[in-house]
Structures are given as C-alpha cells and as structure tokens.
C-alpha cells in the first residue's frame, strides 16, 4: 500500500500473538493485490482499463467498498470522490509533475462519482464516460485496518493497535489505560501538537505533508479537490475520530477537501465522529464534542 504498517497487541502466548500478526499482514497484502491501481493484475486496475467500455463483474468485497465510497461522496457533497484519479493520475509527487491547465480543463469533467454505475444484480461496475479512473487511496487503508482488527478478534486478541499510514484503530485499552495517540505538527516531523488518550476507537489523519512537492510557491500534495483538480489548500491537517477506520479514513480526506467551515459543520452533525483541524495559519480547530481540549 506504499505505506508503513504497524501492529501492536497484547497476547498471553507469544506464538499466538505472532500468528495473529502474520494473519493481519497477509490480509493487508491480499487487499493491496486486489485494490492497488498500480498492480496490473488487481481488480481495480481491471476496472480502470475496461469499465468505460463494458460492465465488469467484481468481487463482493470490492463492490461493497465502492458502494461505501459512493455513500461518502453523497454525504460530503462530492468532496470525497474516487474518480479524482481521472485527473489525479497525472500528478507525480516524486518527480514533481502536475497536469498543465489545458490538460486539467480537458479532464476535469471526468471527475464525478455519478459516472460510476453499480449494478447489484450482476455485481458489476461500469463507467459512463471514457477516461474515468478510480483510486481507493482515500479509504482502502482504513478498510484494511478494520479488516485487520476483525481478524485479531477472531484470534481472541482484545487489546491491540493497528496503524497503516495515517489510519489507526484501537481495540480495547492499553493494560487498563488509554492509548496515547499523537497528532503530528504539519511542518515539523518531530513534534506533536496534541496527544489524545483513546480506547476502542478509530482515528485517521490526512495531511498536506504526506506526499507533495513545491513549485512556484504552490504546494502540490495528494489530496485533490474534485471541483478544481488541484490540491485542496484550506487546511494542513485533519484528524477524525470515530467508530471504524473505513469511515474515519474517508472522512479525514473529505473534511480536508471541504475546508474548516463546511468540514466541521459536517462532523458536528454526525454524532459518532469528532475532528481536530489545523488550518493554513497553523490554528487548531475542534468539533463541538472536543472543544474542551481548546484551552
Ligand atoms: P488520506 O491520506 O487518507 O487523506 O488519503 C489521501 C489519498 O486519497 C490520496 O493519496 C489519494 O489516493 C486519495 N484522494 C485524494 N483526493 C481524494 C478525493 N477528493 N476523494 C477521494 N480520495 C482522494
Ligand atoms: Mg483518509
């Protein structure tokens, strides 16, 4: 998945603990094989090659995750949109490449989650326009973390932390105490701006410092506004806390795109979720349920 995975758990027996860890790592590999846009043999790559021409039948798992992705698109007024990749694939953050304004103007209409058609009867997917591409980078890590936690539970583990990049989920507590999860300072790798004591919850952070390059004073990073095809620029970091990592992952990316006002308004009407934002000035902002932290 192009990211660092970490698994910490408490087990009464070392062999059992290691077996559980191996099972989670294998699950991550399996999900990556199915959902990576970069692997030619993945189901997702098949969709990007074929679904504009014909309906493509997919696994139940991918179908369900696509359905969920579209639900987040509707919930966020299109801020979360996996067809961002129709333009997004033209960015290369390592090489410092961004699409030109002309390229962007031509391809922007291909970003629209409504181009994706799901047929539950045949469990097939089609794209209504040529050139549409999808990428699950804003939700698949959270999904994998949730799958990993479910596997640990099957292995009778009840205290654990799984992290994949910016997405984590905590099972139980940490020997009778909460886990302390830090929120990184966006412009300083080595410092944290807040530490949250958490149990039995998921937490995701999206930041403009993960994958980016700078050119002419503009920071080109990996979170793309579907409305413009350019990097969303109102925030530096968004952390979402909630019951499952699939949702916190999708919502952290969404709120990043929506910006502080619309983003916090969304989180404040979802009772299960809270948010910590860091805006362009470095100012922290909290959802209503966390405002006691704002002192
Ligand atoms: P995260 O670090 O969870 O915010 O995910 C960032 C990743 O989400 C990017 O690397 C892209 O793969 C993907 N992404 C970028 N912009 C969007 C968007 N507007 N909607 C959905 N996914 C996106
Ligand atoms: Mg995310």
């Amino acid at each position: 998945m192009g990211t660092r995975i970490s698994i910490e758990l408490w087990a009464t027996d070392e062999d059992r603990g290691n077996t559980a860890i191996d099972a989670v790592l294998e699950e991550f590999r399996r999900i990556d094989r199915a959902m990576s846009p970069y692997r030619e043999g993945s189901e997702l790559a098949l969709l990007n090659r074929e679904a504009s021409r014909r309906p493509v039948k997919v696994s139940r798992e991918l179908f369900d995750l696509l359905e969920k992705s579209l639900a987040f698109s509707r919930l966020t007024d299109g801020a979360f949109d996996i067809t961002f990749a129709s333009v997004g694939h033209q960015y290369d953050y390592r090489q410092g490449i961004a699409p030109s304004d002309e390229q962007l103007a031509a391809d922007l209409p291909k970003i629209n989650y409504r181009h994706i058609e799901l047929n539950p009867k045949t469990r097939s997917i089609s794209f209504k326009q040529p050139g549409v591409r999808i990428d699950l980078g804003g939700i698949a890590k959270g999904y994998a973390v949730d799958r990993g936690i479910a596997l640990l539970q099957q292995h009778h583990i009840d205290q654990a932390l799984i992290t994949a990049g910016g997405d984590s989920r905590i099972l139980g507590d940490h020997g009778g105490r909460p886990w302390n999860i830090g929120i990184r300072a966006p412009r300083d790798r080595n410092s944290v701006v807040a530490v949250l004591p958490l149990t039995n919850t998921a937490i995701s952070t999206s930041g403009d410092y993960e994958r980016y390059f700078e050119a002419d004073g503009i920071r080109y990073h990996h979170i793309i506004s579907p409305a413009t095809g350019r990097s969303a620029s109102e925030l530096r970091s968004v952390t979402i806390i909630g019951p499952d990592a699939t949702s916190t992952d999708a919502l952290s990316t969404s709120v990043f795109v929506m910006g502080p006002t619309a983003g916090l308004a969304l989180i404040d009407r979802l009772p299960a979720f809270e948010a910590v934002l860091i805006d362009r000035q470095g100012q922290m902002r909290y959802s209503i349920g966390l405002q006691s932290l704002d002192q």
Side-chain angles (χ1 to χ4, degrees):
M1 294 188 183
T3 196
R4 220 181 132 88
I5 314 277
S6 90
I7 304 163
E8 282 179 70
L9 57 81
W10 196 86
T12 45
D13 176 289
E14 189 173 347
D15 285 341
R16 282 185 187 212
N18 283 326
T19 304
I21 288 174
D22 289 343
V24 174
L25 289 175
E26 185 45 41
E27 181 69 355
F28 270 84
R29 285 187 206 103
R30 186 188 67 75
I31 292 170
D32 188 51
R33 282 195 294 271
M35 300 189 186
S36 166
Y38 309 110
R39 291 173 181 267
E40 256 184 53
S42 76
E43 266 195 297
L44 192 111
L46 178 68
L47 283 179
N48 283 341
R49 279 197 305 274
E50 302 280 333
S52 296
R53 282 182 267 155
R54 62 172 178 96
V56 178
K57 183 163 185 181
V58 296
S59 64
R60 154 89 39 217
E61 181 178 44
L62 182 57
F63 192 89
D64 289 349
L65 195 59
L66 291 172
E67 208 159 46
K68 213 165 234 187
S69 298
L70 294 184
F72 279 107
S73 297
R74 290 186 290 267
L75 179 71
T76 63
D77 271 332
F80 188 84
D81 191 330
I82 58 175
T83 68
F84 85 92
S86 310
V87 169
H89 79 97
Q90 296 166 23
Y91 289 90
D92 186 327
Y93 302 100
R94 272 197 211 144
Q95 310 232 36
I97 296 170
S100 67
D101 289 340
E102 291 75 36
Q103 250 177 316
L104 225 176
D107 289 337
L108 197 55
K110 295 172 192 162
I111 303 184
N112 191 334
Y113 65 92
R114 295 182 186 86
H115 294 330
I116 306 173
E117 210 157 35
L118 273 68
N119 185 336
K121 283 208 188 88
T122 54
R123 225 208 285 137
S124 60
I125 312 292
S126 47
F127 300 157
K128 290 187 207 158
Q129 270 200 18
V132 172
R133 290 195 194 208
I134 59 172
D135 184 326
L136 292 169
I139 192 169
K141 283 187 262 94
Y143 173 73
V145 166
D146 282 337
R147 287 287 314 147
I149 290 288
L151 270 175
L152 291 185
Q153 288 178 301
Q154 284 170 27
H155 283 78
H156 307 291
I157 303 287
D158 54 19
Q159 290 181 41
L161 167 66
I162 302 181
T163 298
D167 303 295
S168 301
R169 183 155 161 195
I170 295 165
L171 183 61
D173 61 17
H174 194 200
R177 292 177 187 202
W179 292 82
N180 286 318
I181 307 291
I183 298 178
R184 225 192 91 176
R187 297 293 179 267
D188 179 2
R189 212 158 243 303
N190 303 310
S191 74
V192 295
V193 292
V195 176
L196 305 173
L198 298 172
T199 54
N200 236 345
T201 194
I203 176 167
S204 293
T205 298
S206 292
D208 67 1
Y209 47 81
E210 291 287 345
R211 240 174 257 159
Y212 73 96
F213 67 93
E214 281 174 329
D216 303 325
I218 297 171
R219 176 178 286 245
Y220 293 90
H221 65 83
H222 66 144
I223 302 170
I224 303 293
S225 165
T228 64
R230 294 291 184 203
S231 306
S233 59
E234 283 188 75
L235 291 165
R236 289 180 183 172
S237 131
V238 173
T239 298
I240 304 288
I241 301 163
D244 67 282
T246 309
S247 302
T248 57
D249 188 3
L251 286 172
S252 68
T253 310
S254 306
V255 169
F256 199 105
V257 170
M258 295 170 88
T261 309
L264 281 175
L266 171 68
I267 296 303
D268 283 336
R269 65 184 170 82
L270 302 176
F273 296 92
E274 300 297 339
V276 180
L277 276 48
I278 304 174
D279 69 17
R280 249 202 316 212
Q281 284 74 39
Q283 200 72 35
M284 298 190 60
R285 308 211 199 176
Y286 303 85
S287 59
I288 287 171
L290 290 181
Q291 275 167 9
S292 59
L293 294 178
D294 190 8
Q295 292 161 13

